[in-house]
């Protein structure tokens, strides 16, 4: 190393960094690559050569065959349903959660700590035991076989996001609020003008999470939707495989591949809000 | 072919009738179903239908029904096509399908059941019918058999008795299924071993395994038999060999044996598996553990790593064949003597739920699903070998010689002649007991103290029974 | 805290009583959290209390629940040895996977927090495992990597630690570790929150530190970690809760086996509730879980004044 000057050392360091990172990237993405290449394998190939990444011969039938769906309902429908549910639910979750988080972070009302505790505790209930009571409840609302149970509860705040945004709001100095308050800004105005723009990274994070979770949610749609035309992608994906009978793994991989694309694209597009241009606002001075 | 099938049916009928008459539990309701069907005489069935509802009149009623089942793409497509055939025949009836994968099916049904919102028609599994029947979630179909709406005249008694719980016919078998051993005939030929007869015994099995293990390297296999995971059935066969049952047959939450006898049978059975494992006859415990999670298509037989795959259901043979890209030979599961312990199990059932507003029409649908040849041509026996004789014949006639479907048909036909009588549906504790049994087996195969493993199993099993009772 | 409570009273002179009312700290608070309160009362209270009631009954989801008092709770801690083992395994899982996940996520977030397109691509690639979450492909791959004669097996053979074929997935001693590694590998969600947290650290802090001659390591300890502590706190709480509730990984990769070695709490709860239809017992298990996680969360909340640094509280 002594033979190299400083810039050369830096260059070598960077090359090594990239080599290591690319190798790690390969490890991280191997399952996705496997899924991608398996979606071009024939049924025999998938099971006879499970250890080889590449198909023995390329087979493109899995995509049209998978897209065909089940009994006349195609993946166009499933994608449409998933998009509809995800977009509506995510908007509601993020917007309402930011409101609630502001209430907890910046208002000193009576019962604040109790409600905060209730909010945290409601994150701890395993969804599995709530299935039946929730179904009974939504059935009494007449909401079964509609998208409402999947969308509406999100408009009343989602504890995970409330907590996340709340934590970020706590990181914002109060001097800013106070300055705004002296300028005649009400609590409501402070929320909209001061706090909301500053927690953008938390909102984006929530948005990415919320999208992925809604998109990936299997149990909710499975329980509440009965009409096949209303099924979301997550249910449809499971329907290719049946442990008690013949499964179509090729089509399953193909459709799984397509179904992760929107989430990846979303992440790729939104990540810039998380990193680029390090914050210059919100400091004390 | 027809000859074989009708002979098959006749023998099966005789066997099952003999079995039935010896069991005291068959009631008035049960036997009335038997009389209108097993007898199968035309005079009988016309008499029944004339005094009650006429199927065509039932079909003229305007009815909107829902039907739920689990399955994969193939089944969803086939079943929808069959429903279309039914709706064309009865234009007043519409059926909205709600199909799912196996994962989540029972959770969803539990939720729907809890709020009295079950679809009119529900695909059922042997594991669950007792619970649904005892809680009156699915209705007794005997009245519909008597009134002639549900026609079982072409169905043998062995085929529908599994659907009788507490003397009520709560579910109709959708397809026959039985255990088998898949044999890679190419490896057997290479090793110079003859394909065994269905009547082969455990001793024959061991001898064949030994021969295969001796030529292991030459044949390119790792062990003789991959087996599946840790299926409970083989242990149940071990009890049947002693003329006992693993679970109590009186429908209570208990074992069918006292601790001492049971322990002896269980440990003998599991220690033999350990011996087989140590000798390389069967796959090591780790491979079986992986098999049990991986699904049948990943079984080592697909990659030619072994010569046999025992512990597999006949309707799964197709999936394995598809994955392997070749057909395997199907033979019966070996038993101590030539008498077989394996039985014909319904692959799944169709039930009419108590939440149905149109039980008559639902029963009519069940009847058509069973007997309508056009519908079954759409269903393509994907759920197992159909139970109605005429349907079986019609489907068999269309099958290609040498196809895997044909092979499964032939095998199930052969087995129905020699299979044992099925036992009563398992108690509700089955889910946990089965896991406990698996744990015990894994411990023993890993070389743990068998007595201790059994004690752990037994204590926890009693705890589970107590919680269920 | 105290100063903001009194603020409305001493603020601008309010002429309208409505305006006074609407700007009152209590009103503002409930206006903002109102949605949550309503949602909680409408959507959560009923299922929550039903499950509490079920936990005191024998309930199979089909017939009416039958009151049995505390029997479900006593069973857990007396006769049900599998439950106790499952609890122990879950603790091991949480105490290993959560710290590892957080450390890994923080390192990656620090590495990729800024940079051009290439780094953005890396970031996306590192996030990918979390996107494919519980899909079949992950289960299949994981079993291949760690299975009998799998790649990891071969690697251990090569360095001479293991002889012959060995399955990490199917061996009692190593199965849990493979599930932990899977959880760590899917570190995307804490990474994301760390990235967001890092972005919120004002760049002037670093500039000032640079002027003072602090090196990278010092800046990390003196600026990054304290400023990030609210996010670390959030991730710790959240990862701990989701660690206790972990289900998918263990369920798809090992189904709780072999011999219950990966029978995590919720996997067992699921078996009890649905496979053996003891909803009452399952609900009781859920409530015990709430108490356990609740206690752990309370402990963490009570320690946060020692290490979590909130700008809004002005402490330094």
């Amino acid at each position: 190393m002594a033979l190299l000057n400083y810039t050369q050392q830096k260059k070598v360091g960077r090359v090594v960094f990239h080599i290591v990172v690319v190798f790690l990237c390969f490890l991280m993405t191997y399952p996705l690559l496997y899924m991608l290449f398996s979606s071009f394998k024939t049924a025999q190939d998938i099971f006879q050569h499970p250890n080889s990444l590449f198909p023995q011969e390329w087979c493109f039938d899995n995509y049209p065959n998978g897209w065909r769906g089940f009994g006349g309902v195609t993946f166009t429908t499933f994608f449409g349903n998933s998009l509809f549910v995800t977009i509506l639910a995510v908007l509601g979750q993020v917007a309402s959660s930011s409101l609630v988080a502001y209430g907890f972070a910046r208002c000193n009302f009576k019962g604040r700590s109790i409600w905060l505790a209730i909010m945290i505790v409601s994150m701890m209930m395993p969804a599995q035991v709530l299935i039946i009571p929730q179904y009974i409840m939504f059935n009494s609302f007449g909401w079964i076989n509609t998208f409402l149970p999947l969308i509406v509860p999100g408009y009343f705040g989602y504890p995970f996001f409330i907590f996340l945004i709340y934590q970020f709001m706590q990181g914002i100095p109060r001097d800013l609020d106070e300055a705004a308050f002296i300028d005649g800004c009400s609590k409501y105005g402070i929320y909209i003008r001061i706090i909301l723009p500053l927690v953008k990274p938390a909102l984006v994070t929530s948005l990415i999470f919320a999208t992925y979770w809604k998109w990936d949610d299997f149990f909710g749609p499975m329980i509440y939707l009965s009409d096949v035309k209303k099924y979301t992608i997550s249910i449809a994906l499971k329907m290719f495989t049946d442990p008690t009978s013949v499964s179509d793994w090729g089509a399953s991989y193909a459709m799984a591949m397509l179904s992760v694309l929107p989430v990846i694209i979303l992440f790729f597009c939104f990540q810039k809000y998380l990193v680029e241009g390090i914050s210059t606002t919100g400091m004390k001075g | 072919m027809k000859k074989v099938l009708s002979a098959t049916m006749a023998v099966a009928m005789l066997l099952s009738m003999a079995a039935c008459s010896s069991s005291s539990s068959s009631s008035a309701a049960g036997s009335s179903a038997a009389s209108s069907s097993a007898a199968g005489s035309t005079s009988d069935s016309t008499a029944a239908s004339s005094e009650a509802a006429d199927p065509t009149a039932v079909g003229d009623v305007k009815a909107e029904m829902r039907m739920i089942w689990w399955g994969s793409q193939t089944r969803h497509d086939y079943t929808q096509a069959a429903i279309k055939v039914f709706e064309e025949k009865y234009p007043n009836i519409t059926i909205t399908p709600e199909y799912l994968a196996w994962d989540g099916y029972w959770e969803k049904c539990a939720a729907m059941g809890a709020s009295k919102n079950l679809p009119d028609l529900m695909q059922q599994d042997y594991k669950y019918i007792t619970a649904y029947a005892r809680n009156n979630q699915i209705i007794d179909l005997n009245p519909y058999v008597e009134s002639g709406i549900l026609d079982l005249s072409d169905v043998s008694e062995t085929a529908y008795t599994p659907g009788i719980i507490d003397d009520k016919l709560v579910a109709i078998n959708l397809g026959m299924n039985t255990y088998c051993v898949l044999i890679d005939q190419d490896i057997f030929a290479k090793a110079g071993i003859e394909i065994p007869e269905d009547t082969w015994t455990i001793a024959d099995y061991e001898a064949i395994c030994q021969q295969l293990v001796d030529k292991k390297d030459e044949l390119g296999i790792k062990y003789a038999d991959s087996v599946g995971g840790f299926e409970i059935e083989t242990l149940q066969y071990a009890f049947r060999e002693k003329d006992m049952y693993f679970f109590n047959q009186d429908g209570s939450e208990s074992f069918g044996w006292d601790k001492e006898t049971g322990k002896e049978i269980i440990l003998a059975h599991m220690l033999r598996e350990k011996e087989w494992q140590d000798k390389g006859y069967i796959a090591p415990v780790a491979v079986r553990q992986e098999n049990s999670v991986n699904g049948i298509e990943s079984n080592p037989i697909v990659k030619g790593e072994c010569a046999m795959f025992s512990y597999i259901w006949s309707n799964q043979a197709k999936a394995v064949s598809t994955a392997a890209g070749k057909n395997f030979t199907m033979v019966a599961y070996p038993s101590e003597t030539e008498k077989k312990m394996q039985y014909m199990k319904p692959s799944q059932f169709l039930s009419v739920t108590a939440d149905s507003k149109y039980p008559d029409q639902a029963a009519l649908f069940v009847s058509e699903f069973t007997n309508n040849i056009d519908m079954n041509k759409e269903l393509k026996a994907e759920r197992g070998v159909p139970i109605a004789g005429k349907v079986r014949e019609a489907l068999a006639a269309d099958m290609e010689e040498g196809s895997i479907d044909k092979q499964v048909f032939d095998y199930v036909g052969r087995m129905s002649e020699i299979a044992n009588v099925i036992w009563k549906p398992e108690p509700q504790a089955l889910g946990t007991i089965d896991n406990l049994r698996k744990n015990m087996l894994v411990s023993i195969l890993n070389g743990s103290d068998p007595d201790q493993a059994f004690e752990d199993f037994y204590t926890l099993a009693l705890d589970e029974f107590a919680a269920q009772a | 805290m105290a100063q903001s409570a009194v603020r409305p009273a001493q603020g601008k002179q309010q002429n309208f009583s409505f305006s006074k009312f609407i700007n009152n700290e209590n009103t503002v608070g409930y206006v903002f959290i109102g949605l949550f309160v309503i949602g909680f009362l409408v959507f959560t209270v009923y299922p929550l209390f039903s499950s509490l009631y079920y936990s005191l009954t024998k309930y199979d989801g089909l017939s009416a629940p039958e009151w049995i008092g505390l029997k479900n709770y006593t069973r857990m801690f007396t006769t049900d040895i599998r439950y106790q083992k499952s609890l122990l395994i879950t603790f091991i899982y949480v105490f290993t996977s959560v710290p590892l996940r957080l450390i890994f996520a923080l390192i990656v977030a620090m590495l990729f927090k800024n940079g051009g397109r290439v780094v953005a691509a890396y970031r996306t690639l590192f996030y990918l495992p979390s996107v494919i979450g519980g899909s079949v492909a992950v289960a299949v791959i994981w079993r291949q990597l760690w299975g009998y004669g799998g790649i990891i097996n071969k690697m251990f053979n090569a360095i001479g630690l293991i002889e012959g074929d060995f399955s990490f997935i199917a061996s009692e001693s190593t199965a849990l570790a493979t599930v932990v590694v899977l959880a760590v590998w899917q570190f995307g969600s804490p990474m994301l929150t760390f990235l967001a947290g890092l972005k919120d650290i004002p760049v002037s802090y670093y500039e000032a530190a640079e002027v003072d001659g602090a090196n990278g390591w010092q800046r990390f300890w003196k600026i990054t970690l304290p400023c990030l502590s609210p996010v670390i706190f959030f991730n710790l709480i959240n990862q701990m809760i989701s660690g206790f509730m972990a289900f998918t990984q263990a369920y798809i990769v090992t189904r709780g086996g072999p011999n219950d070695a990966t029978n995590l709490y919720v996997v067992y709860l699921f078996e009890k509730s649905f496979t053996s239809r003891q909803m009452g017992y399952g609900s009781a298990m859920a409530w015990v879980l709430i108490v356990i996680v609740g206690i752990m969360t309370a402990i963490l909340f009570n320690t946060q004044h020692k290490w979590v640094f909130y700008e809004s509280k002005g402490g330094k």
Side-chain angles (χ1 to χ4, degrees):
Chain A
M1 277 301 185
L3 294 171
L4 304 170
N5 65 29
Y6 179 70
T7 34
Q8 279 173 324
Q9 269 187 27
K10 225 177 167 184
K11 249 186 203 161
V12 170
R14 211 181 271 163
V15 169
V16 170
F17 171 79
H18 283 284
I19 289 174
V20 171
V21 170
V22 167
F23 176 72
L24 285 176
C25 278
F26 178 73
L27 280 189
M28 297 302 288
T29 50
Y30 183 77
L32 200 74
L33 292 176
Y34 183 86
M35 199 156 97
L36 176 66
F37 288 114
S38 294
S39 71
F40 296 105
K41 285 181 177 178
T42 61
Q44 281 98 20
D45 203 359
I46 286 173
F47 294 105
Q48 286 166 29
H49 309 281
N51 285 325
S52 78
L53 187 58
F54 299 105
Q56 305 288 318
E57 60 178 299
W58 290 77
C59 152
F60 297 94
D61 295 345
N62 291 326
Y63 283 85
N65 186 33
W67 194 270
R68 188 171 60 81
F70 317 94
V73 187
T74 67
F75 266 73
T76 317
T77 311
F78 303 138
F79 261 94
N81 293 337
S82 276
L83 277 176
F84 180 76
V85 169
T86 306
I87 291 174
L88 281 184
V90 167
L91 289 179
Q93 281 182 356
V94 177
S96 61
S97 299
S98 83
L99 277 173
V100 178
Y102 178 74
F104 281 128
R106 283 300 201 257
C107 301
N108 219 357
F109 55 91
K110 274 188 201 130
R112 176 182 166 276
S113 44
I114 293 171
W115 282 109
L116 194 60
I118 288 178
M119 193 269 294
I120 304 266
V121 168
S122 58
M123 291 167 71
M124 300 172 192
M125 196 76 200
Q128 286 83 352
V129 293
L130 297 178
I131 292 169
I132 288 192
Q134 267 171 346
Y135 187 94
I136 294 173
M137 182 181 73
F138 286 126
N139 192 40
S140 72
F141 295 174
W143 285 11
I144 296 304
N145 200 22
T146 71
F147 293 132
L148 294 176
L150 307 173
I151 297 173
V152 175
Y155 281 77
F156 296 89
Y158 190 80
F160 175 83
F161 303 132
I162 298 175
F163 186 30
L164 174 73
I165 301 169
Y166 165 80
Q167 275 311 94
F168 273 83
M169 284 181 179
Q170 289 214 305
I172 300 170
R174 271 185 199 256
D175 314 22
L176 291 170
D177 304 37
E178 278 158 25
F181 194 78
I182 290 162
D183 291 348
C185 208
S186 69
K187 281 268 172 185
Y188 304 97
I190 293 173
Y191 165 70
I192 295 182
R193 293 202 201 118
I194 313 283
I195 302 291
L196 217 45
L198 287 179
V199 290
K200 221 197 256 163
L203 296 180
V204 172
T205 311
S206 304
L207 183 88
I208 293 175
F209 283 151
T211 310
Y212 168 58
W213 286 343
K214 255 301 153 198
W215 191 262
D216 198 45
D217 179 24
F218 164 68
F219 245 93
M222 194 268 306
I223 295 283
Y224 300 124
L225 303 174
S226 12
D227 184 352
V228 181
K229 292 192 187 74
K230 289 187 178 142
Y231 281 5
T232 58
I233 290 199
S234 51
I235 318 181
L237 282 179
K238 296 252 180 182
M239 299 209 299
F240 286 111
T241 51
D242 176 5
T244 61
S245 174
V246 185
S247 304
D248 191 344
W249 287 93
S252 164
Y253 283 133
M255 291 303 109
M257 205 53 226
L258 291 183
S259 83
V260 296
L261 282 183
V263 195
I264 298 175
I265 293 170
L266 182 97
F267 176 79
F268 194 78
C269 293
F270 274 90
Q271 61 167 338
K272 67 165 181 268
Y273 294 106
L274 296 180
V275 281
E276 267 168 26
I278 295 218
S279 170
T280 45
T281 43
M283 81 223 82
K284 284 176 178 170
Chain B
M1 187 60 223
K2 278 186 184 175
K3 247 189 217 163
V4 177
L5 271 168
S6 47
T8 304
M9 263 187 59
V11 178
M13 240 161 17
L14 279 173
L15 273 173
S16 59
M17 281 173 84
C20 199
S21 59
S22 65
S23 79
S24 56
S25 69
S26 84
S27 72
S31 45
S32 74
S35 68
S36 72
S37 53
S41 69
T42 38
S43 62
D44 230 32
S45 49
T46 43
S49 58
S50 64
E51 69 185 38
D54 171 29
T56 37
V58 168
D60 284 343
V61 177
K62 207 159 181 58
E64 281 173 26
M65 298 195 289
R66 291 150 62 214
M67 174 178 176
I68 190 165
W69 71 85
W70 75 84
S72 62
Q73 196 183 24
T74 332
R75 181 173 303 163
H76 303 322
D77 289 350
Y78 292 176
T79 314
Q80 299 243 68
I83 288 177
K84 207 165 273 169
V85 173
F86 177 82
E87 287 175 338
E88 273 161 23
K89 189 169 171 191
Y90 300 97
N92 286 319
I93 304 179
T94 54
I95 293 171
T96 313
E98 297 179 10
Y99 40 83
L100 284 171
W102 169 267
D103 275 348
Y105 182 82
W106 296 104
E107 291 78 20
K108 179 162 185 165
C109 288
M112 291 196 294
S115 42
K116 307 258 169 267
N117 191 26
L118 280 171
D120 305 72
L121 292 150
M122 175 185 181
Q123 187 171 307
Q124 271 286 357
D125 186 80
Y126 207 52
K127 269 186 204 154
Y128 292 90
I129 46 172
T130 319
Y132 277 83
R134 296 232 164 110
N135 287 296
N136 298 318
Q137 300 259 0
I138 46 181
I139 62 169
D140 184 8
L141 294 171
N142 271 324
Y144 302 94
V145 177
E146 281 160 35
S147 68
I149 298 176
L150 176 51
D151 178 13
L152 294 180
S153 54
D154 196 18
V155 178
S156 74
E157 206 179 327
T158 23
Y160 69 76
T161 37
I164 298 176
I165 310 283
D166 303 332
D167 304 331
K168 290 181 194 154
L169 179 64
V170 291
I172 299 296
N173 188 346
L174 291 185
M176 308 247 250
N177 214 353
T178 183
Y179 246 11
C180 68
V181 179
L182 288 188
I183 287 180
D184 189 327
Q185 58 283 347
D186 302 338
I187 295 180
F188 267 56
K190 211 167 144 193
I193 303 170
E194 256 180 62
I195 306 283
E197 295 287 323
D198 288 328
T199 48
W200 64 329
T201 63
I202 299 272
D204 298 335
Y205 171 80
E206 287 179 328
I208 288 176
C209 284
Q210 188 58 53
Q211 277 175 280
L212 286 163
V213 168
D214 290 342
K215 295 179 186 160
K216 200 162 94 173
D217 298 330
E218 179 190 330
L219 299 170
I221 55 172
K222 292 183 177 169
Y223 25 77
D225 184 354
S226 63
V227 294
F230 308 101
E231 273 66 28
I232 193 170
E233 280 81 4
T234 56
L235 181 59
Q236 291 176 309
Y237 298 160
F239 276 91
R240 291 303 297 127
E241 297 273 8
K242 305 273 190 244
D243 213 19
M244 293 162 75
Y245 290 94
F246 185 69
F247 287 115
N248 205 327
Q249 294 298 291
D250 64 6
S252 66
E253 295 284 330
S254 55
F255 287 126
W257 37 270
D258 61 274
K259 191 177 172 186
E260 215 164 295
T261 340
K263 182 179 176 181
E264 204 176 297
I265 297 174
I266 290 171
L267 289 188
H269 176 76
M270 294 189 171
L271 287 170
R272 183 164 68 190
E273 275 194 32
K274 170 128 178 41
E275 188 194 323
W276 288 352
Q277 172 188 268
D278 295 345
K279 285 182 177 166
Y281 293 179
I282 60 175
V285 58
V287 172
R288 293 172 68 183
Q289 173 69 30
E290 287 179 17
N291 287 347
S292 71
V293 204
N294 278 340
I296 39 169
E297 293 118 320
S298 301
N299 192 280
I301 199 170
V302 170
K303 287 177 276 177
E305 289 175 2
C306 62
M308 290 188 278
F309 175 10
S310 47
Y311 304 2
I312 176 178
W313 291 103
S314 53
N315 68 337
Q316 295 177 320
K318 188 171 183 178
V320 179
S321 288
T322 313
K326 72 176 202 180
N327 285 3
F328 296 103
T329 306
M330 299 165 79
V331 297
Y333 194 75
S335 41
E336 299 292 343
T337 62
E338 289 196 354
K339 180 173 163 38
K340 292 288 110 173
M341 291 304 131
Q342 71 187 73
Y343 56 87
M344 309 298 291
K345 183 188 177 239
S347 59
Q348 57 238 202
F349 298 93
L350 195 56
S351 288
V352 177
T353 66
D355 301 341
S356 173
K357 285 191 216 108
Y358 307 101
D360 289 353
Q361 286 70 28
L364 176 68
F365 180 81
V366 176
S367 184
E368 293 286 319
F369 207 90
T370 311
N371 297 303
N372 187 320
I373 291 175
D374 291 332
M375 274 172 84
N376 275 284
K377 280 195 170 153
E378 297 294 346
L379 292 167
K380 299 188 174 56
E382 184 271 331
R383 284 182 169 85
V385 177
I387 56 170
K390 290 202 185 71
V391 172
R392 256 199 321 260
E393 283 170 35
L395 290 185
D398 284 354
M399 277 175 186
E400 260 175 70
E401 202 60 46
S403 69
I404 181 73
D405 291 320
K406 182 82 167 53
Q407 233 181 308
V408 173
F409 255 61
D410 289 349
Y411 175 72
V412 171
R414 252 160 47 212
M415 279 309 107
S416 63
E417 289 174 55
I418 55 172
N420 200 348
V421 190
I422 192 168
W423 45 78
K424 291 265 160 42
E426 276 91 358
Q428 296 202 37
L430 171 75
T432 291
I433 302 270
D434 192 27
N435 280 338
L436 295 172
R437 178 199 56 84
K438 249 180 246 172
N439 288 350
M440 165 169 57
L441 178 57
V442 169
S443 300
I444 291 177
L445 290 176
N446 276 327
S448 303
D449 175 26
D451 292 308
Q452 187 55 46
F454 178 82
E455 286 305 323
D456 290 347
F457 162 80
Y458 194 72
T459 330
L460 282 167
L462 291 191
D463 177 52
E464 177 69 12
F465 280 136
Q468 291 282 8
Chain C
M1 280 294 203
Q3 47 173 217
S4 56
V6 274
R7 188 55 59 108
Q10 53 170 223
K12 266 210 282 178
Q13 215 44 59
Q14 306 286 339
N15 295 322
F16 308 106
S17 59
F18 174 74
S19 159
K20 213 176 229 168
F21 166 76
I22 202 74
N23 284 308
N24 176 286
E25 194 82 13
N26 281 327
T27 318
V28 177
Y30 279 98
V31 165
F32 277 102
I33 74 155
L35 278 176
F36 174 73
V37 174
I38 297 168
F40 180 77
L41 295 176
V42 175
F43 297 114
T44 317
V45 167
Y46 172 75
L48 211 61
F49 282 94
S50 321
S51 80
L52 185 60
Y53 166 66
Y54 291 155
S55 79
L56 300 167
T57 65
K58 176 177 181 284
Y59 179 46
D60 63 3
L62 292 174
S63 41
E66 175 193 327
W67 184 267
I68 54 166
L70 290 173
K71 251 192 196 160
N72 285 328
Y73 291 93
T74 49
R75 182 180 175 207
M76 257 176 259
F77 295 101
T78 51
T79 47
D80 197 349
I81 308 161
R82 284 180 81 208
Y83 170 79
Q84 293 147 30
K85 186 177 171 189
S86 157
L87 189 61
L88 177 72
I89 284 167
T90 310
F91 267 97
I92 298 174
Y93 172 81
V94 170
F95 281 101
T96 50
S97 70
V98 173
L100 286 173
R101 229 172 122 123
L102 290 188
I103 292 168
F104 208 49
L106 184 58
I107 292 174
V108 175
M110 292 292 294
L111 275 182
F112 299 142
K113 71 177 169 174
N114 37 34
R117 287 236 173 108
V118 182
V119 178
Y122 287 155
R123 210 158 36 219
T124 309
L125 291 177
F126 272 71
Y127 185 66
L128 279 184
S130 312
V131 172
I132 51 174
S135 75
V136 278
V138 175
V140 170
I141 295 285
W142 219 249
R143 292 195 294 254
Q144 267 170 31
L145 289 178
W146 298 89
Y148 202 73
I151 297 163
I152 311 278
N153 184 183
K154 295 269 152 62
M155 279 163 59
F156 273 84
N157 285 347
I159 53 173
L161 279 177
I162 286 174
E163 257 180 60
D165 286 342
F166 180 81
S167 171
F168 291 87
I169 291 264
S171 305
E172 263 181 84
S173 48
T174 50
L176 186 63
T178 64
V179 179
V180 170
V181 176
L182 178 58
V184 174
W185 177 72
Q186 296 183 323
F187 61 86
S189 70
M191 176 185 86
L192 213 54
T193 28
F194 280 138
L195 280 172
L198 287 170
K199 186 186 161 157
D200 258 7
I201 302 174
V203 74
S204 59
Y205 286 12
Y206 290 109
E207 286 162 3
E210 210 144 350
V211 172
D212 292 346
N215 64 24
W217 193 240
Q218 282 167 330
R219 272 176 292 173
F220 175 75
W221 281 106
K222 293 275 151 79
I223 298 171
T224 311
L225 269 191
C227 288
L228 207 55
S229 59
V231 179
I232 297 178
F233 179 71
F234 167 79
N235 271 337
L236 192 60
I237 297 262
N238 177 56
Q239 293 299 318
M240 185 198 68
I241 294 177
S242 49
F244 274 105
M245 306 214 292
F247 172 75
T248 318
Q249 283 95 349
Y251 190 71
I252 59 171
V253 176
T254 53
R255 300 264 151 163
N259 201 0
D260 288 345
T262 56
N263 197 20
L264 294 179
Y265 202 101
V266 178
V267 174
Y268 190 51
L269 183 155
F270 190 78
E271 181 201 310
K272 283 291 166 192
S273 302
F274 290 102
T275 316
S276 38
R277 316 186 60 85
Q278 297 169 29
M279 308 270 176
Y281 193 55
S283 300
M285 285 176 66
W287 277 92
V288 172
L289 183 64
I290 289 190
V291 171
I292 294 172
V293 182
I295 292 173
M296 309 264 308
T297 311
I299 293 173
L300 283 176
F301 261 92
N302 282 323
T303 59
Q304 67 165 327
H305 67 271
K306 291 194 180 137
W307 62 278
V308 183
F309 169 86
Y310 291 109
E311 285 275 4
S312 64
K313 292 186 178 142
K316 252 212 166 157

